[in-house]
Amino acid sequence: MSMRQPAENIERVLKKLIEERDNEAIINFIDSHSSDRNEKFKSSVHQLTVWNDPETLQSILTWGEEKSLTPATGGDGCQDKDNPILLACQEDFRRCMGCLYQHGYRMKEVQDEAYYEEDKGCVSQRSYRMKEVKDETDYEEDDQVRQFLRFHAASNVCYLSLEFTEHKAFQNKEQSTTELTTEEIDILDQIDPLRKVFKKMKDADSNVEDLQGSSELKSNYISIKKKLEAFTGGILTQCRSMHEVKTILDHNPEDDDDDELDDAYTNWQVALFEGHKDLVSHPNFQRYLWRKMTGDGSINKEIPFKFLADKIPNLSSTSKFRMKRALWNIKNIPLTILTFLFCYPFVVFADFLKKGDILFVNPKAQEERKLKKMWNNVEKQQTDNEDNPKGCFDYFRKRMHIPLFRMIPYFFIKVIYLNLICFSFLYPVDPFGANFQETDKLVLIVLLSVTFIISVSYLVDDIIQLFRPKHHKSFWNYFSLLTHLLLVGGAVIASISYHLFYQGKNLADLSGNSAVNVGMAMVSFGAGMEFFCLLQWLILLETTGPMVLCVLHAIKDALRMVSIYIVLFVAHSIAFISLYKPFHPDPLNTTQQLNTTKYVLANGASALKSQRGLISTLFWRIIASAGPEMVNIKSTMDPTEDFSLEFSHLMGLVLWGVYQIIVYVLMLNLLIAVMNTSYSELWQNAQRECKYHKSCFLAKFMEPLEIFPVPFRWIYYLARAVYFCKKEKNPIKQDKSKYFWLLRELILNKQEAEFEKSSDDKINDLKKDIFNELR
């Protein structure tokens, strides 16, 4: 007891000195206890971190570095529950975190678990701690609290940035003159904060749900994800030009060539395909996507007859711009369709005799390859003999690699396909009953065959898209697959069955269960769903995009309530069938109908005489109410009585009223309320949602696959096979050094801006406090 009392007094003195922020006194006190100087130093660092005092902490750490007490100089790194940088990450003490990281303190993310501990050195303040796992048997996988705390510390954007910005690869180097080595680039790829943040956001999404459904800490994970996404948006905000935005978003750590066939995602693809809507809707991101759609600004902006718009008097600038855009479309839409149909295939086949890369190497990469050869004396003569950059192949290469031009053939073929579907319904013919002497029917059979071939091509393409590793999969992909399955499957069933069994017969005279009618029903649903896909096009328009998204969300809300409707419908169906069973004819007792003459169903309740009629009546009451005459039971002994009120008969009326109140009044109004809520939530973020879905639709046209849309996709696959056979062995690689230097600069600028904003906020708060005191 006598030995413990002096120790407590020493700790109390140290705590008092720390509270007084006396740097020299703290250092002298620690230095005076040479026997346990390391422990006193660790205690001081820990308490200063708890108090969030970066100035005093920096002074103590600088002195500790001189005395070799910090981890950077071989001291104890405190890789346990007292590690101060873990506390700084949990509490987001950024300046303290920077001081600690500078002096060698690190966080072991994988080996750490979290738990709460009462801090005895901080006026009973509760704070988060991290504890090193020494025995894996103590770890429980279903402990959501420990899992969340560990994830919360590891996802601190400031710590993730420090690992990158303070790396030794950047030390004592000038950005403009120094290239990073291959080893340094490999290390920086692993600690790239942008990629780490993307991974943390993906992990946050996966932690939102567990085996029990939604995690109890769902809102906490969502909050962390928003902070991480705000960090990525802040990086784009710091960019000073579109060239810097392109450098950041075009980065692909696994890309080793300059063609457009990449197996891994670029930064912009990760943001888009993993659903980071705030980042995708960022103005710089949207501007970057539009530049990519126009071939990085290489699109021909010459507008025919634009002087007409300028000479029209009293025309607003907006109207002039729209008129010029219409004139540009009048020129480029027909030109693109004609070059696609009559030039693209022949140019690609002719390029097979050269390098076969016209679909996969864009004009900019092609020029860089030529410049590279210009510096190679061995290949200089070969380069001089190559085609002129302004030749035929280069003209078509430029047009092919403008994604905006790829959309025109896509829409053109889709419109033709929809018209062919309508034509096949208006003029149906037996495709197997071709008669070459009847020209009219032959033309119809040819058009029907073309429609079927296009449908099969779409179906094959949908199946391929499901297994493509580098492709964004959305609701529309699965919807398109189901649509073409119905169209192709229904057409095959209807055509074969009609030709073999029902040739020459009227479909109206056939059973609804016949194979031909079943097939035609599938085709009918498939055709309707094909036209339903046009909603995806309306998302591209600013006026209709938000409304289309609201309609789709309302449909999803209705589908989520189907299970509730099914339970209510089945429960009341069982009750009604049991209650009105005496009035149903018994197939085993043919005399029952003659004996039920005292009580009969009223005229309006005739539908309840069969189970099919009863179920039909209950189903349509979901969307339309009806009066009590639908379930009335009438006594034949008293003609003056409209309906019976005897107990079991009255219970039928009561059950009918309860059913309509629940299904038609309560459920219908609940569905309307849910739709209104979803509509309000979506409308608040309408611009963000619309930009994201529009970007997802446009992104697919940035792949060379869309140069030849269905049903010309086979040309692309043939060209790809030829390209892999002739691919150059030493292509130009992307400049990763430029990316890492720029990313570091943007992060430091962002941190400096946040620090200045924080300082201004503190000064403003201080002014308000002084003003309130003076009052």
Side-chain angles (χ1 to χ4, degrees), residues 373-629:
K373 290 181 179 180
M374 290 291 292
W375 294 98
N376 191 331
N377 294 328
V378 176
E379 297 181 357
K380 185 177 186 302
Q381 184 65 33
Q382 177 185 352
T383 303
D384 294 339
N385 295 331
E386 287 185 350
D387 294 339
N388 190 289
K390 297 182 181 180
C392 175
F393 283 93
D394 292 278
Y395 170 77
F396 287 109
R397 184 191 298 271
K398 181 179 179 181
R399 292 193 67 88
M400 288 179 182
H401 287 276
I402 296 178
L404 191 62
F405 287 156
R406 300 174 187 174
M407 298 178 65
I408 297 174
Y410 169 84
F411 287 118
F412 174 75
I413 293 174
K414 201 73 173 180
V415 170
I416 296 296
Y417 176 56
L418 293 175
N419 282 277
L420 288 174
I421 290 177
C422 295
F423 191 84
S424 63
F425 278 107
L426 294 175
Y427 303 99
V429 292
D430 182 7
F432 299 103
N435 187 350
F436 294 99
Q437 296 179 355
E438 299 180 6
T439 307
D440 296 339
K441 286 189 176 181
L442 182 61
V443 172
L444 295 177
I445 291 174
V446 170
L447 292 177
L448 186 63
S449 301
V450 171
T451 306
F452 180 75
I453 292 174
I454 297 177
S455 299
V456 173
S457 301
Y458 274 116
L459 177 60
V460 173
D461 186 68
D462 290 335
I463 296 174
I464 293 175
Q465 301 304 324
L466 290 179
F467 299 97
R468 285 185 61 198
K470 183 174 166 287
H471 181 68
H472 179 235
K473 298 178 180 62
S474 64
F475 157 77
W476 295 106
N477 295 97
Y478 302 102
F479 189 83
S480 178
L481 176 62
L482 178 60
T483 298
H484 297 121
L485 276 174
L486 291 174
L487 284 172
V488 175
V492 171
I493 294 173
S495 300
I496 295 177
S497 60
Y498 181 81
H499 181 73
L500 296 178
F501 306 109
Y502 307 103
Q503 191 170 6
K505 294 183 179 180
N506 190 347
L507 298 185
D509 296 332
L510 301 179
S511 170
N513 295 327
S514 63
V516 62
N517 279 330
V518 170
M520 289 305 299
M522 294 172 61
V523 172
S524 301
F525 272 88
M529 294 168 64
E530 189 69 56
F531 277 85
F532 183 83
C533 290
L534 294 177
L535 286 177
Q536 192 177 12
W537 298 4
L538 298 179
I539 296 177
L540 300 177
L541 304 178
E542 295 182 2
T543 54
T544 58
M547 290 183 286
V548 171
L549 294 177
C550 290
V551 170
L552 295 177
H553 274 264
I555 294 175
K556 292 179 182 179
D557 291 334
L559 292 177
R560 281 195 291 265
M561 296 189 67
V562 167
S563 58
I564 302 176
Y565 273 105
I566 290 176
V567 172
L568 294 174
F569 179 77
V570 171
H572 287 85
S573 297
I574 296 297
F576 271 106
I577 291 174
S578 176
L579 191 60
Y580 286 85
K581 180 66 176 175
F583 300 94
H584 295 170
D586 189 355
L588 301 178
N589 185 4
T590 57
T591 62
Q592 180 190 26
Q593 188 173 3
L594 299 176
N595 296 331
T596 57
T597 57
K598 188 174 182 181
Y599 294 98
V600 295
L601 293 173
N603 293 332
S606 58
L608 301 186
K609 292 181 179 180
S610 64
Q611 293 183 3
R612 178 182 296 182
L614 189 148
I615 293 175
S616 177
T617 300
L618 292 179
F619 177 80
W620 292 111
R621 297 292 76 77
I622 294 177
I623 57 177
S625 61
E629 64 275 2

Side-chain angles (χ1 to χ4, degrees), residues 649-688:
H649 305 161
L650 179 62
M651 289 300 101
L653 289 170
V654 173
L655 184 61
W656 178 251
V658 171
Y659 175 72
Q660 290 199 95
I661 291 174
I662 294 176
V663 172
Y664 183 72
V665 179
L666 296 181
M667 289 299 298
L668 187 60
N669 282 280
L670 178 61
L671 179 60
I672 294 173
V674 171
M675 290 181 177
N676 285 334
T677 302
S678 297
Y679 176 84
S680 301
E681 293 177 354
L682 180 64
W683 196 257
Q684 291 178 355
N685 302 310
Q687 292 298 322
R688 186 192 70 168

Side-chain angles (χ1 to χ4, degrees), residues 699-717:
K700 68 178 183 179
F701 295 101
M702 298 180 190
E703 302 181 22
L705 180 75
E706 291 297 331
I707 296 177
F708 287 100
V710 177
F712 300 94
R713 194 80 84 197
W714 59 273
I715 301 177
Y716 164 81
Y717 290 113

Side-chain angles (χ1 to χ4, degrees), residues 761-775:
D761 291 340
K762 290 181 179 179
I763 294 174
N764 292 332
D765 292 339
L766 180 60
K767 290 180 178 178
K768 290 180 180 179
D769 293 339
I770 295 175
F771 179 75
N772 292 332
E773 289 293 333
L774 294 176
R775 292 178 60 185

